[in-house]
Amino acid sequence: MKYNPKFKIWRDNKVLIAMVKGSWGERDAEDFARELKAVVTPLLGEDWASVILLDNWQLGVPGIEPVIKDLVRWKIARGLCYSAHVYWPSTVKEFQLDRMVKEVPDRFEVQRFMQPQQAFDWLETHGFHTDNQQKLAVD
């Protein structure tokens, strides 16, 4: 059986963009962490931001939480300053996301938005510009 990743990750200038979908198991979280680290490697040592598109993500098993918590710590230690989470309001989704992103340093700021353009506009105010946001239309 062919494995089909439940995410796409790319970089646009100093902004990492990830589109996630489906229900996640530990393998999905581990694969996501590995690929994200590879994509962001050119930005290490400088400040960078991220946009995580979560509308099509349908939560995950509890086993993903430590993997994502470790990834969040890794990203912050390597220059992540701002992260925009984009999804239509969902109490359950917000609860699980909060459990994975708690206890982060003051230097890191996360905001939630309902529309991708709002996220990109917010990052722009912090000096993080993107050139090719239309990639969001893919999928």
Side-chain angles (χ1 to χ4, degrees), residues 84-100:
H85 294 174
V86 180
Y87 59 95
W88 196 254
S90 163
T91 304
V92 175
K93 193 176 286 190
E94 192 169 320
F95 177 76
Q96 188 166 36
L97 288 168
D98 283 349
R99 287 171 48 103
M100 295 185 289

Side-chain angles (χ1 to χ4, degrees), residues 82-138:
Y82 300 97
S83 187
H85 294 174
V86 180
Y87 59 95
W88 196 254
S90 163
T91 304
V92 175
K93 193 176 286 190
E94 192 169 320
F95 177 76
Q96 188 166 36
L97 288 168
D98 283 349
R99 287 171 48 103
M100 295 185 289
V101 184
K102 277 187 177 174
E103 299 173 16
V104 294
D106 294 338
R107 182 175 178 271
F108 169 77
E109 185 176 344
V110 64
Q111 293 287 327
R112 293 180 181 93
F113 301 94
M114 290 189 285
Q115 300 294 324
Q117 190 59 52
Q118 296 169 316
F120 287 106
D121 291 347
W122 176 67
L123 290 179
E124 185 95 15
T125 67
H126 294 287
F128 293 97
H129 312 282
T130 56
D131 295 327
N132 196 12
Q133 297 173 21
Q134 57 268 35
K135 281 190 175 183
L136 297 176
V138 177

Side-chain angles (χ1 to χ4, degrees), residues 30-122:
E30 291 164 354
D31 290 347
F32 178 78
R34 186 172 28 262
E35 186 163 331
L36 185 144
K37 288 175 181 179
V39 170
V40 82
T41 294
L43 300 178
L44 299 183
E46 52 190 306
D47 291 345
W48 54 281
S50 67
V51 174
I52 313 295
L53 304 161
L54 294 150
D55 264 337
N56 295 319
W57 179 62
Q58 301 165 357
L59 305 179
V61 299
I64 74 166
E65 293 178 13
V67 175
I68 300 301
K69 281 181 186 179
D70 286 346
L71 178 62
V72 170
R73 285 188 207 102
W74 184 92
K75 293 186 302 185
I76 293 166
R78 285 157 182 84
L80 178 65
C81 296
Y82 300 97
S83 187
H85 294 174
V86 180
Y87 59 95
W88 196 254
S90 163
T91 304
V92 175
K93 193 176 286 190
E94 192 169 320
F95 177 76
Q96 188 166 36
L97 288 168
D98 283 349
R99 287 171 48 103
M100 295 185 289
V101 184
K102 277 187 177 174
E103 299 173 16
V104 294
D106 294 338
R107 182 175 178 271
F108 169 77
E109 185 176 344
V110 64
Q111 293 287 327
R112 293 180 181 93
F113 301 94
M114 290 189 285
Q115 300 294 324
Q117 190 59 52
Q118 296 169 316
F120 287 106
D121 291 347
W122 176 67

